[in-house]
Amino acid sequence: MPLGSRERRKENTRRALVECALRLFAERGYATVTVEDICAEVDVSPRTFFRYFASKEQVLAEPITTALDVLRAEFVQTPPARSVWTGLRAALLATVEHIEAGPEEFLRAAQIVRNAPETLSSSARALLEWELTMRSELEQRLGAGPDSLQPRLLLGVAMVGFRTALDAWTESDGARPLRELAEAALDTLRPAARAIERQVT
Amino acid sequence: MPLGSRERRKENTRRALVECALRLFAERGYATVTVEDICAEVDVSPRTFFRYFASKEQVLAEPITTALDVLRAEFVQTPPARSVWTGLRAALLATVEHIEAGPEEFLRAAQIVRNAPETLSSSARALLEWELTMRSELEQRLGAGPDSLQPRLLLGVAMVGFRTALDAWTESDGARPLRELAEAALDTLRPAARAIERQVT
């Protein structure tokens, strides 16, 4: 269904705010750009800005937030297929298509975060650094190059197991035994790990 | 090697700050507790506090940060085994043992975050909400209960594929084709997904 003219105007304002904010962040540095600066460029009031976004952090996260919304909407629409993975895969590839239709903002936001780690919370920054050193350790052990996807996938799969066990444990306020949860999660993921290691390039 | 008395004193101060901060966050609410409040309870100066932590957010993240440090140290020490997964699994289970040796702080920090989503950045909060709705959608499709690990593992594995492709794409500043990266990552993870779906309980 096409948007009405009011919705279209709102969507245009929203897009103008995102585009302009990302451009200013890239040009002047995320930390120095204020909401007022963004509003001045787009010629709207801060009140209007805050009708769309709670903070400039939310504008920076907009490309990935939108991608996740697309992913969820696409997945919900997939017919209950033979396997849930088939649905997830279709939804992920549809999201990729959405991103490829206008990749500039996504890339720009990613570059801003990469070049200005202060855009992340201190714990997110610590996690990112941790991942980078773990990844290079895995690359070395697997004999894989820095472009290879396998070290990232293997580390990611291991961390999914760890996080799943920790989440289930903390959600039960410690009642479920953490070690059993971790072993169950890792056992379930073992075929994944083996398949990934077999494909190292 | 046992710690010298100076190191031991430092470690004791650090632990006292974490314990006391987590207790105050739980009792009074994360948002209302200041660094000064924590210092008053432990009887140290803010200058001392800031020698250990950059912010109260860093104190809240301390249990998970420490666990990640343990995980990395354990992994680096594992002998180059037949498979990297064997090393990752051993390191993860050693980390679980470390957490189980003193689980209270870990659980308390997780509870504080769960009960006070304002401790998270707005994008981390959005991601968490997104994950919860996706997880319940997957539970329904898989016919799994809320205690089941499989929906979380399957979603986690799909997101590892998505994130790996996005990271490799943004690191190449868009030069590597996103769709090919996503397909390669998802193909590599397919055996994992199938193994997880087969084990749904």
Side-chain angles (χ1 to χ4, degrees):
Chain A
M1 204 175 63
L3 295 174
S5 74
R6 188 147 172 279
E7 280 70 36
R8 207 160 45 227
R9 215 167 48 238
K10 277 176 70 178
E11 182 53 26
N12 285 344
T13 306
R14 187 188 171 81
R15 295 206 60 76
L17 285 169
V18 173
E19 265 174 50
C20 173
L22 292 177
R23 187 166 47 74
L24 290 181
F25 295 159
E27 285 170 9
R28 304 187 196 165
Y30 177 78
T32 63
V33 175
T34 64
V35 168
E36 284 70 28
D37 294 336
I38 301 165
C39 293
E41 288 269 317
V42 182
D43 199 17
V44 300
S45 68
R47 227 185 108 190
T48 301
F49 176 94
F50 288 115
R51 220 176 287 142
Y52 293 88
F53 299 103
S55 62
K56 64 176 185 171
E57 190 221 345
Q58 226 173 60
V59 189
L60 183 60
E62 210 267 351
I64 185 70
T65 311
T66 304
L68 290 176
D69 287 343
V70 169
L71 175 51
R72 180 165 50 190
E74 290 285 343
F75 179 66
V76 171
Q77 276 175 37
T78 57
R82 282 159 302 160
S83 92
V84 177
W85 180 252
T86 310
L88 280 171
R89 185 190 158 90
L92 284 166
L93 292 178
T95 309
V96 161
E97 218 165 279
H98 159 83
I99 293 171
E100 283 186 320
E104 298 81 14
E105 283 176 10
F106 205 105
L107 285 172
R108 187 165 259 178
Q111 281 161 355
I112 292 162
V113 172
R114 199 162 59 237
N115 297 331
E118 70 271 18
T119 57
L120 298 171
S121 71
S122 74
S123 49
R125 210 158 55 229
L127 181 61
L128 209 63
E129 277 162 28
W130 183 90
E131 282 180 340
L132 284 177
T133 59
M134 279 297 278
R135 198 219 285 178
S136 76
E137 181 76 26
L138 279 168
E139 280 167 6
Q140 225 177 321
R141 292 217 185 187
L142 290 167
D147 279 353
S148 170
L149 298 183
Q150 278 79 15
R152 307 167 197 239
L153 293 171
L154 193 60
L155 179 61
V157 163
M159 294 312 288
V160 164
F162 189 46
R163 205 198 132 187
T164 296
L166 283 178
D167 283 355
W169 177 65
T170 58
E171 280 169 27
S172 78
D173 282 332
R176 301 176 78 180
L178 178 58
R179 190 184 178 89
E180 276 173 36
L181 289 166
E183 283 179 346
L186 293 173
D187 286 348
T188 304
L189 293 169
R190 195 170 36 154
R194 282 167 54 184
I196 294 167
E197 288 201 46
R198 241 182 283 121
Q199 290 174 51
V200 170
T201 49
Chain B
M1 204 174 64
L3 296 174
S5 74
R6 190 149 169 280
E7 279 70 36
R8 206 161 45 228
R9 215 166 47 240
K10 279 177 71 179
E11 182 54 26
N12 285 344
T13 306
R14 186 189 172 81
R15 294 206 61 75
L17 286 169
V18 173
E19 264 175 51
C20 172
L22 292 177
R23 185 168 47 73
L24 290 181
F25 294 159
E27 285 170 9
R28 305 186 196 166
Y30 178 78
T32 63
V33 175
T34 64
V35 167
E36 284 70 28
D37 294 335
I38 301 165
C39 293
E41 289 270 316
V42 182
D43 199 18
V44 299
S45 68
R47 227 185 108 188
T48 301
F49 176 94
F50 288 115
R51 220 176 287 142
Y52 294 87
F53 299 103
S55 62
K56 64 176 185 171
E57 189 223 344
Q58 224 172 63
V59 188
L60 184 60
E62 210 267 352
I64 186 69
T65 311
T66 304
L68 290 176
D69 287 344
V70 170
L71 175 50
R72 180 165 48 190
E74 289 285 343
F75 179 66
V76 171
Q77 275 174 38
T78 57
R82 283 157 302 162
S83 91
V84 177
W85 181 252
T86 309
L88 280 172
R89 185 190 158 89
L92 284 166
L93 292 179
T95 309
V96 161
E97 219 166 277
H98 160 83
I99 293 172
E100 284 187 319
E104 298 80 13
E105 282 175 12
F106 205 104
L107 285 171
R108 185 164 261 178
Q111 280 159 356
I112 291 163
V113 172
R114 197 161 61 238
N115 297 331
E118 69 270 19
T119 57
L120 298 171
S121 70
S122 73
S123 50
R125 211 158 55 231
L127 180 61
L128 210 61
E129 278 162 28
W130 182 90
E131 281 180 341
L132 284 177
T133 60
M134 279 297 278
R135 199 219 284 175
S136 75
E137 181 76 26
L138 279 167
E139 280 167 5
Q140 226 177 320
R141 294 217 184 188
L142 290 166
D147 279 353
S148 170
L149 298 182
Q150 279 79 15
R152 310 167 196 238
L153 293 172
L154 193 60
L155 179 61
V157 163
M159 294 312 288
V160 164
F162 190 46
R163 203 197 134 187
T164 296
L166 283 178
D167 283 354
W169 177 64
T170 57
E171 280 169 29
S172 78
D173 282 332
R176 301 176 78 180
L178 178 58
R179 191 183 179 90
E180 276 174 36
L181 288 166
E183 283 178 346
L186 293 173
D187 286 347
T188 304
L189 293 170
R190 194 172 36 155
R194 283 167 54 184
I196 295 168
E197 287 201 47
R198 241 183 283 122
Q199 291 175 52
V200 170
T201 49

